[in-house]
Amino acid sequence: MNKDISIVVQSRLNSIRVPNKMLRPFAGTTLVDILLSKLVNLKTLPPSNVYFCAYEDELLDVAQKYPINTIKRSKESSLEEKDPTITFEWYKQIPTKYIVMVSACNPLLEIKTIDKFIEEYSQSPQEGAISVFESKNYFWDKEGKMLNKWPKGFTSMNTKFVEPTKVAAHCMYGSRVDIIGEGYWVNKGLPYEPELITMPEMESFDIDYEWQFNVAQVLYENL
């Protein structure tokens, strides 16, 4: 690997939209257990490079079942939504130059997809990386201006021929550790110019609302 990388999982219990979603029964297990059981079986990095960060002891107790590192977050960190130096305060305890953060809210994410992200990020010249999926659809901005190109030769909408647009998958991010202390995340400056690493759209299914928790459980049990 060209980059020295640790994996970080950040979790909390104070979700408002889906209360206690990290530890609620999910297909006979929990979202935290699902992710950690995958991360200890990666080909790219050993379990000793995995760091689980949480404020609540209930979450830390689950993580201690696995051969990984745990970091106790402050209560302030678990509540902060904006300032990376607080939200990601664990950066001070990460020994590597780079991290890959993996979300526990995407239970359909496969081990091979995580390995692919780590491998491509490791080889990338970019400081940061974001997982994306390709959407063959039509997009307009708030003024009604089309954001992607209209397929040449068509006067009606046909998604088979439209140019694909890359959409943030919100399940894996890569960042240099030291820039977090300067208040940045993924890249220094805005907008981000990261390595965009493509993954299957289905695996990016994210649990932000109660209905998504229920749908994800059905998908996880049947796919």
Side-chain angles (χ1 to χ4, degrees):
M1 281 195 175
N2 292 342
K3 287 185 170 72
D4 184 23
I5 295 174
S6 291
I7 298 174
V8 172
V9 179
Q10 181 171 278
S11 186
R12 62 182 185 176
L13 293 180
N14 57 350
S15 172
I16 296 174
R17 294 174 293 190
V18 190
N20 200 37
K21 67 178 174 180
M22 290 293 104
L23 295 182
R24 283 172 59 179
F26 182 96
T29 181
T30 69
L31 294 176
V32 168
D33 282 295
I34 288 171
L35 178 58
L36 295 184
S37 65
K38 294 172 183 175
L39 296 182
V40 298
N41 286 288
L42 294 175
K43 293 181 179 179
T44 48
L45 292 172
S48 58
N49 281 51
V50 179
Y51 291 79
F52 182 85
C53 311
Y55 165 66
E56 298 89 348
D57 290 337
E58 300 97 311
L59 286 167
L60 294 171
D61 287 344
V62 173
Q64 286 168 0
K65 297 187 302 182
Y66 300 87
I68 63 173
N69 307 285
T70 58
I71 296 176
K72 175 82 170 180
R73 296 173 69 188
S74 66
K75 185 174 183 180
E76 181 186 16
S77 169
S78 70
L79 297 174
E80 178 62 38
E81 299 281 358
K82 186 176 180 181
D83 187 346
T85 63
I86 300 174
T87 304
F88 307 140
E89 64 180 12
W90 41 256
Y91 80 91
K92 300 172 186 176
Q93 299 183 57
I94 301 299
T96 53
K97 184 174 180 180
Y98 298 90
I99 62 97
V100 167
M101 177 180 276
V102 186
S103 171
C105 295
N106 308 87
L108 304 184
L109 183 62
E110 295 188 11
I111 294 174
K112 63 182 180 181
T113 304
I114 303 172
D115 273 325
K116 175 180 178 290
F117 184 93
I118 293 169
E119 185 63 36
E120 291 190 23
Y121 179 44
S122 174
Q123 302 298 325
S124 170
Q126 300 295 338
E127 290 183 337
I130 295 177
S131 58
V132 298
F133 60 85
E134 291 190 345
S135 176
K136 297 194 72 174
N137 209 332
Y138 295 79
F139 297 91
W140 291 265
D141 63 19
K142 63 181 181 179
E143 279 80 34
K145 182 178 180 181
M146 195 166 190
L147 297 175
N148 50 342
K149 294 179 181 179
W150 187 273
K152 187 175 181 180
F154 285 84
T155 56
S156 61
M157 297 171 70
N158 189 322
T159 56
K160 287 190 290 186
F161 298 97
V162 73
E163 182 181 78
T165 301
K166 293 185 177 182
V167 182
H170 302 296
C171 54
M172 292 180 286
Y173 302 88
S175 180
R176 230 176 65 207
V177 174
D178 64 327
I179 68 172
I180 300 173
E182 301 176 46
Y184 296 101
W185 173 242
V186 176
N187 283 141
K188 294 183 73 170
L190 296 173
Y192 292 162
E193 293 183 354
E195 186 74 25
L196 299 178
I197 300 176
T198 305
M199 62 173 289
E201 182 176 0
M202 177 63 79
E203 293 181 41
S204 73
F205 191 93
D206 193 17
I207 299 175
D208 275 332
Y209 297 95
E210 192 69 33
W211 71 266
Q212 292 170 329
F213 188 94
N214 297 326
V215 170
Q217 189 166 205
V218 173
L219 292 171
Y220 182 81
E221 292 176 324
N222 290 279
L223 288 178

